[in-house]
Amino acid sequence: MLEIKNLQASIDGKQILNGINLSVGPGEIHAIMGPNGSGKSTLSNVLAGREEYVVTGGEVCYNGENLLELPAEDRARRGIFLAFQYPVEIPGVSNTYFLKTALNEKRKFNGQEEMDAADFLALVKQKMKVVDIDKSLLSRPINEGFSGGEKKKNEIFQMAVLEPSLAILDETDSGLDIDALRVVANGVNSLHNNENSFLVITHYQRLLDYIVPDFVHVLSKGKIVKTGGKELALELEEKGYDWLT
Amino acid sequence: MNGQTQAVKNYLTAFEIIEKQNKNLHPEREKAIQAFAEAGFPDKKNEAWRFTDLSRLLDVDFIPGRPAELNREIKAEIEPYLFTQWKGAQLVFVDGFFSETFSRIPVSPEAVQISTQLSETNTNHTETIPQEDLPKAENAFTLLNTALTRTGVSIRIKKNTNALPIHILSIQTNRAEFSFSMPKNRIHLESGSSLQMIETFVATGETVYFTNAITTIQLDENSRCDYYKMQNESRKANHISGLKAVQERNSVFRAHTLDFGGGLARNNLKAVLNGEGAETVLNGLYLGRGNQHIENHTVIEHAAAHCNSSELFQGILADSSRGVFSGMIHVHRDAQKTDARQSNNCLLLSEEAKIDSKPQLEIYADDVQCSHGATVGQLNEEEIFYLRSRGIGKETARHILTYAFAEKIIEHIDIPELKERAETFFRNKLGEKLHLNK
């Protein structure tokens, strides 16, 4: 599904990724862990298509297509979803309007009919349950005045509506209390099936108590230095990152 | 290329033509044209006209318009601009002349008086608005309007009357290329009355013409006027407008101006708060594309104590368009407890677009709250990326964010028909396939 080969990337002339190799199959959950500055967020931003990041080498193949050639919106339409570490606030644009536009862009791309307002609201109602998000947040401008937890829930809610085939969670757990963490994890688990995949990027093992990964990768200095099963996360929790880097 | 001299001469000739056609011209016209002949058009040495390039206006010898023949073709062009479910009066002017065919004046109660033909003896406005009170820098255009006006609306809302809304629609057809029209409207709200009114300026084609419009609104004690102006003239037109509201005690004047059209568009907006407890809201939205030049000059005269004024202008400039905002708040010595706020925000969508923003505060009272702020910025790249990361195309993302910026004004429009039309004009114009930067 996702094949990353020797991926190198820089931002503002500073080399961050130094040759990442990673293969994600359908239905798999991969956790990427690593200390601060190891390149975790760079990897997620490069995959989502943020233009400030310059790919200096390597390739990324997604369902047989060269992902790096596609602009961000085309990646999203093909099923890639990035849950932001710091979701932006966008005053003046309502959550619902935004999400309906996004969903219909995706549907158009997939040759489906655009969804009308009534069907969309029914869908929203159904997905709201998955994430336990407050109804009033949806009519408000995107993330404006949301608490940290509400912003992260909103990311998961958007994910639930857009039903990506590959979701990248960029430190979604950071700044969350245990209740919010559980809600986010429940959301992911209920969306997970044997066709869609998750790349869970996190600094702490905590999230992985709730979202159980098939693989754990340790990222250090822009490279994957170790790969293991879910037990690797526990080992990291105990020993820290120093023994690997 | 015409110079100033040729342009002035042209309007003196126009005056002679009108003089020949009409025997009993009001003496005020003669005075106005003479004063205009002496003053001429303002040039860039004049501080208030420093940024205004009048060459598009001066280069053409505009002539007095003629009433259009209302054939079927013209009718089809005009009809889409009418509000079909409108309860109040709809006063339609075609090429600067009142059109009975399209206008609808519901049998109005005695309390509302509308007259559409400014009679030749009725151009003297000194009884309510003294001539010397008109914005000084505007004199050339104000004088021209007084000298050459042939149409306009005169409305009087009687005491304690809530009038039905009034729509004044000015349509320029493409049969009237190179003509000028100079409507002069006078609105008087007697004490305790209220009125919602719209002035719309549209064109059915992309022709060159000149609109020089003046509207004065007198608000007596405890009256309220919600005034909207939507300008979507031809992109080659010159549109100069003067709006002046004079407010007595506890009156409320809320004005929204929406500027989409015009090659050169300039609004001179003035509110005079003469009575205590009066309130003014002056909001504006403008969207410039191509090489449009759009200006808003506001003056708020706080002449009495305990008055509030607030101004919000949201400007969007794309391509190589240019905007000018100048906002003067003048707090007189006796105007204690004044609360005056002004804000002008501008969104530049291309590197060639340009805004000049000039707030001016002149405060002679000591117990007042005044604030002003101006921002100039581009669309936020983080926000664009956020929308794109959800599958929304770059162009659409930019439009969504630009619209959100405009919405801050559009959301205040309390007339659904107008709101819908403003949204449509805005979205259509934004979506035009001129080059948007990036």
Side-chain angles (χ1 to χ4, degrees), chain A residues 3 6 24 61 76 100 124 166 169 176 183 208 211 229 235 242:
Chain A
E3 288 289 339
N6 191 27
V24 179
C61 201
K100 182 165 173 267
V124 159
L166 173 69
L169 276 60
L176 289 190
V183 169
L208 305 179
I211 302 173
E235 200 177 345
D242 289 349

Side-chain angles (χ1 to χ4, degrees), chain B residues 263-319:
Chain B
L264 168 67
R266 176 174 171 136
N267 296 316
N268 303 296
L269 311 160
K270 186 173 185 177
V272 183
L273 296 114
N274 268 341
E276 290 191 5
E279 184 189 324
T280 306
V281 173
L282 213 52
N283 290 345
L285 168 68
Y286 51 97
L287 169 60
R289 299 216 44 187
N291 64 349
Q292 281 186 282
H293 184 114
I294 302 176
E295 304 193 10
N296 282 287
H297 297 256
T298 71
V299 177
I300 310 250
E301 293 282 352
H302 276 274
H306 297 282
C307 293
N308 296 335
S309 67
S310 95
E311 289 179 77
L312 175 64
F313 278 78
Q314 299 278 102
I316 297 148
L317 299 169
D319 309 313

Side-chain angles (χ1 to χ4, degrees), chain A residues 49-51 71-73 76-77 81-82 84 88-93 98 102 105 142-143 155 158 162, chain B residues 380-396 400-401 403-405 407-408 427:
Chain A
R50 197 188 280 262
E51 281 153 7
E73 55 269 35
R77 290 166 189 167
F81 181 92
L82 172 65
F84 284 62
V88 290
E89 299 192 9
I90 309 185
V93 181
F98 151 64
E105 290 273 355
I142 303 169
N143 295 327
E155 295 291 290
Q158 291 172 27
L162 295 172
Chain B
N380 182 316
E381 289 298 330
E382 292 280 311
E383 294 177 3
I384 294 173
F385 179 71
Y386 192 79
L387 299 180
R388 292 177 66 202
S389 78
R390 301 301 183 242
I392 296 171
K394 199 174 192 172
E395 182 98 342
T396 310
I400 288 175
L401 296 173
Y403 186 78
F405 184 86
E407 174 77 8
K408 292 200 170 101
R427 288 188 196 277

Side-chain angles (χ1 to χ4, degrees), chain B residues 219-237:
Chain B
L219 293 101
D220 290 351
E221 284 186 16
N222 297 309
S223 65
R224 177 186 170 117
C225 181
D226 288 281
Y227 171 89
Y228 299 92
K229 180 186 156 198
M230 183 160 73
Q231 184 272 107
N232 195 21
E233 302 260 33
S234 139
R235 230 59 79 72
K236 291 180 186 158

Side-chain angles (χ1 to χ4, degrees), chain B residues 109-113 155-163 188-194:
Chain B
E110 190 68 3
V112 181
Q113 293 177 353
I155 299 169
R156 192 176 182 101
I157 314 294
K158 288 282 163 90
K159 212 170 159 176
N160 297 329
T161 305
N162 295 317
H188 188 160
L189 286 93
E190 292 186 5
S191 60
S193 66
S194 69

Side-chain angles (χ1 to χ4, degrees), chain B residues 37-48:
Chain B
E38 279 168 36
F41 286 100
D43 59 25
K44 291 191 170 189
K45 281 180 232 144
N46 182 328
E47 180 61 24

Side-chain angles (χ1 to χ4, degrees), chain A:
Chain A
M1 178 175 234
L2 179 73
E3 288 289 339
I4 302 176
K5 282 184 195 149
N6 191 27
L7 180 63
Q8 298 154 52
S10 68
I11 182 161
D12 297 331
K14 198 177 159 209
Q15 196 68 27
I16 308 283
L17 299 185
N18 295 305
I20 298 223
N21 293 293
L22 180 66
S23 175
V24 179
E28 292 175 358
I29 297 180
H30 289 243
I32 296 189
M33 302 184 70
N36 288 331
S38 58
K40 300 192 298 292
S41 281
T42 299
L43 176 61
S44 50
N45 280 308
V46 166
L47 293 177
R50 197 188 280 262
E51 281 153 7
E52 298 95 291
Y53 293 86
V54 181
V55 173
T56 50
E59 53 191 81
V60 179
C61 201
Y62 185 68
N63 289 333
E65 278 187 280
N66 178 357
L67 193 70
L68 300 176
E69 275 184 352
L70 301 172
E73 55 269 35
D74 284 348
R75 300 183 194 192
R77 290 166 189 167
R78 283 166 173 77
I80 289 186
F81 181 92
L82 172 65
F84 284 62
Q85 186 178 2
Y86 304 109
V88 290
E89 299 192 9
I90 309 185
V93 181
S94 95
N95 243 324
T96 319
Y97 170 73
F98 151 64
L99 203 47
K100 182 165 173 267
T101 309
L103 181 66
N104 279 332
E105 290 273 355
K106 193 171 172 181
R107 291 177 67 93
K108 263 191 286 184
F109 175 81
N110 289 322
Q112 292 167 289
E113 260 186 49
E114 289 191 37
M115 203 178 256
D116 64 24
D119 287 349
F120 179 72
L121 284 178
L123 177 73
V124 159
K125 227 173 173 179
Q126 180 205 333
K127 299 291 184 182
M128 263 165 47
K129 287 185 198 138
V130 176
V131 194
D132 183 32
I133 192 167
D134 196 278
K135 203 167 95 185
S136 68
L137 295 183
L138 298 180
S139 53
R140 280 178 35 195
I142 303 169
N143 295 327
E144 195 183 39
F146 286 25
S147 70
E150 286 170 339
K151 283 181 184 169
K152 296 295 174 73
K153 275 191 198 174
N154 194 20
E155 295 291 290
I156 303 301
F157 173 69
Q158 291 172 27
M159 183 174 84
V161 171
L162 295 172
E163 297 182 329
S165 48
L166 173 69
I168 305 160
L169 276 60
D170 187 4
E171 305 210 24
T172 301
D173 52 335
S174 67
L176 289 190
D177 63 27
I178 197 73
D179 290 332
L181 191 72
R182 216 175 267 145
V183 169
V184 165
N186 283 345
V188 170
N189 289 331
S190 63
L191 295 170
H192 182 221
N193 58 38
N194 54 20
E195 278 170 18
N196 59 24
S197 315
F198 289 83
L199 211 53
V200 181
I201 291 170
T202 181
H203 186 82
Y204 302 103
Q205 183 269 340
R206 195 174 64 150
L207 180 64
L208 305 179
D209 286 342
Y210 301 98
I211 302 173
V212 182
D214 300 299
F215 301 93
V216 174
H217 311 276
V218 180
L219 196 61
S220 172
K221 293 176 187 146
K223 273 186 149 166
I224 289 174
V225 292
K226 191 166 175 68
T227 294
K230 62 184 175 195
E231 62 289 345
L232 177 57
L234 293 167
E235 200 177 345
L236 288 167
E237 180 77 358
E238 200 182 305
K239 296 190 193 165
Y241 291 108
D242 289 349
W243 61 288
L244 287 168
T245 58

